[in-house]
Amino acid sequence: MFLKTLLVLLIVNLVSDSYGQKDKKFFRKDYTYIDTTQTFYKINSIPSTWADAKRICALEGAIFWHPDNEVELNAVLEFWKRTKPNIPFLWSAFSDILVEGRFVTVEGKSSSDVYTNWQHGTPDNYQGNEDCTHISTVGDMNDYRCDSKALFICKKSLQSLEWNLECDMPHFGYIFSYTTGKCYKLHTTPLNWTEANDRCQLEQSSLAVINDRLEAEFLVKLTESTPKPRLKKKYQRGIYHLGFHNRLNEGWQTITGKPLKTVNEDWFDNYQPDGEDECGAMFFNGRLINTDCDMKSFFICQHEVENLDEPIDIRLSSQPYVGGGVD
Ligand SMILES: *[C@@H]1O[C@H](CO)[C@@H](O)[C@H](O)[C@H]1NC(C)=O
C-alpha cells in the first residue's frame, strides 16, 4: 500500500515537474526516442501489407515512416541495425498507389519534397504491379508489391505529441473518471470481441471491466454522451463489448484471467447469461450480458496507469520520464 502511494506521489511529482518543460521524451513504452531527430520510433515486428502498416501506425497514434532527409535516414538505420539487425528491408511510407509514377508519402509529400535514394534502375514498376516502397539496411529504396508483407517503422515527432495528463498517456480521446481513477474510450467502429481488444491494445489499453456500480454508471454516461455514427451494416445495437468472457468454460473471468467481481445474478441483465455465447458485454443500461464473440459491436477500452508492465522502470529510469502537455 505504502509503495503504491509512493509511486503515485512520484508520478504526480514527475508529471508536474516536467509540465511545460521542453524535455518531454516519453510517448509509449514500445517507442524509442532518438535525440538527433527529436522523434520516437518503433520497428513493428508483425509482417504486414503496406496498407495495414499505414493503418496500424495511425491506430498507435503515430505515422508510417519514410525518411524525411538523410540525417533521419542515418539515425533510423543506426537504430535499426542496433535493435533488429537481421531484418534486410522495411516498408517505407512512399507509394504511387494513387497516380502511377507519382510517388508521395502518406502525408502527401512528393519526391521533390522528401529524401529519395532509389536503387539503380528503380522504380521500375516490375510487371506493372509495384506501387509501394521497400528500404534496405543501406538506405536505398526499391519499388515493390503493396500486397506483400514486410516489417515497418512507425514514428511520432516530439513536436506533434499531445499528452493526456489526466490519463497519463498520449492523446487518444480517453476520458478520465474521478470515481474509478481509470480512463475510458468508447469506440464507435463496430468490431468483433477479439478485434475490439486488439484495437484497445494498439492504444495501450484493454477492453473495460466493470468492478462496481459507480463504474457501471460512468460507462452508461459515456455511452449516452458519445455521438454514434449511423451505420448501414448490421451490428449489435445498444451492446458494448467489455473485457470479460467464458471462452475457457472456467466461469466468467476478466481478460487478464482474474475472477470477475461483478458476476453474480444481480449484475447480469434479466435472463442473462443465456445460450452458448461466451463473450462479455454491457447492455446500454450498464447491466452485463453475454454475447456472440463474432458479432460486431461498439466497445469500451480502459486504460490504467497500473496496467503498464513496468511503471517504475519507465518513470525512474535514467531517461527522464516526462508527462508533459502540448507546446
Ligand atoms: C473476429 O474477426 C477476426 C478478423 O476479422 C476473425 O479472424 C475472427 O475469427 C473473428 N471472430 C473472433 C471470435 O475472433
Side-chain angles (χ1 to χ4, degrees):
M1 191 60 195
F2 171 70
L3 189 64
K4 199 164 175 183
T5 312
L6 185 67
L7 180 61
V8 168
L9 283 174
L10 274 170
I11 292 167
V12 168
N13 264 324
L14 285 166
V15 168
S16 46
D17 280 355
S18 58
Y19 182 67
Q21 290 181 7
K22 286 263 184 270
D23 59 345
K24 304 180 200 70
K25 293 194 183 84
F26 183 80
F27 170 43
R28 301 168 42 127
K29 64 186 160 91
D30 47 348
Y31 278 67
T32 302
Y33 183 69
I34 296 182
D35 209 27
T36 323
T37 58
Q38 304 216 325
T39 298
F40 303 89
Y41 300 91
K42 172 182 172 179
I43 301 183
N44 221 303
S45 31
I46 302 168
S48 302
T49 63
W50 191 89
D52 277 345
K54 179 181 169 185
R55 190 179 60 88
I56 290 167
C57 290
L59 292 174
E60 289 188 352
I63 58 170
F64 190 10
W65 172 76
H66 65 84
D68 269 330
N69 49 50
E70 205 168 343
V71 172
E72 183 181 25
L73 176 68
N74 290 332
V76 170
L77 289 180
E78 193 276 323
F79 167 61
W80 173 359
K81 278 177 206 154
R82 184 159 45 84
T83 54
K84 307 252 183 196
N86 300 324
I87 300 171
F89 54 81
L90 295 165
W91 283 128
S92 165
F94 208 47
S95 85
D96 69 343
I97 290 174
L98 292 180
V99 182
E100 180 56 41
R102 189 172 172 270
F103 278 84
V104 291
T105 71
V106 288
E107 308 132 281
K109 287 188 238 165
S110 66
S111 304
S112 54
D113 296 326
V114 295
Y115 174 82
T116 52
N117 180 23
W118 293 106
Q119 273 169 28
H120 184 69
T122 67
D124 60 358
N125 197 25
Y126 182 66
Q127 295 186 335
N129 198 14
E130 293 194 325
D131 291 343
C132 292
T133 312
H134 275 168
I135 198 152
S136 78
T137 39
V138 292
D140 58 13
M141 298 161 51
N142 171 38
D143 56 341
Y144 211 78
R145 291 176 63 122
C146 302
D147 59 0
S148 64
K149 291 190 174 177
L151 307 191
F152 56 98
I153 295 181
C154 305
K155 77 174 193 181
K156 179 77 178 174
S157 72
L158 188 57
Q159 197 200 356
S160 68
L161 178 59
E162 292 182 41
W163 199 256
N164 183 338
L165 265 183
E166 281 178 317
C167 298
D168 198 23
M169 69 192 294
H171 188 72
F172 280 126
Y174 277 68
I175 296 169
F176 181 69
S177 160
Y178 286 94
T179 49
T180 69
K182 290 196 275 185
C183 289
Y184 306 90
K185 179 175 169 183
L186 170 61
H187 279 263
T188 57
T189 303
L191 294 179
N192 78 29
W193 192 81
T194 317
E195 294 170 316
N197 194 53
D198 289 349
R199 180 63 57 87
C200 295
Q201 281 182 4
L202 288 173
E203 296 172 348
Q204 296 189 296
S205 303
S206 58
L207 281 172
V209 173
I210 294 178
N211 286 304
D212 55 40
R213 202 156 298 282
L214 288 173
E215 191 156 22
E217 280 168 16
F218 187 84
L219 296 189
V220 169
K221 277 200 211 103
L222 184 67
T223 67
E224 287 167 354
S225 62
T226 306
K228 292 166 205 71
R230 288 166 64 105
L231 298 163
K232 290 200 187 101
K233 278 195 190 147
K234 192 167 176 280
Y235 69 100
Q236 300 191 101
R237 280 160 216 276
I239 290 173
Y240 302 85
H241 287 309
L242 291 186
F244 69 99
H245 67 92
N246 187 21
R247 303 182 88 180
L248 309 171
N249 276 315
E250 292 170 354
W252 293 93
Q253 56 183 278
T254 71
I255 210 155
T256 52
K258 298 193 187 106
L260 187 62
K261 287 184 211 155
T262 42
V263 166
N264 55 48
E265 284 162 37
D266 287 327
W267 273 88
F268 273 108
D269 204 37
N270 293 339
Y271 311 113
Q272 298 276 328
D274 65 351
E276 306 280 290
D277 297 339
E278 290 169 340
C279 282
M282 182 186 92
F283 205 36
F284 68 86
N285 59 8
R287 312 272 290 177
L288 304 184
I289 58 172
N290 66 321
T291 184
D292 182 350
C293 304
D294 276 323
M295 277 296 271
K296 290 186 187 291
S297 299
F298 293 163
F299 56 99
I300 302 172
C301 305
Q302 71 177 28
H303 180 87
E304 324 180 51
V305 175
E306 290 86 348
N307 255 354
L308 292 175
D309 295 340
E310 303 152 331
I312 295 178
D313 284 2
I314 288 169
R315 289 174 173 77
L316 305 182
S317 66
S318 54
Q319 291 266 354
Y321 164 74
V322 259
V326 191
D327 279 327

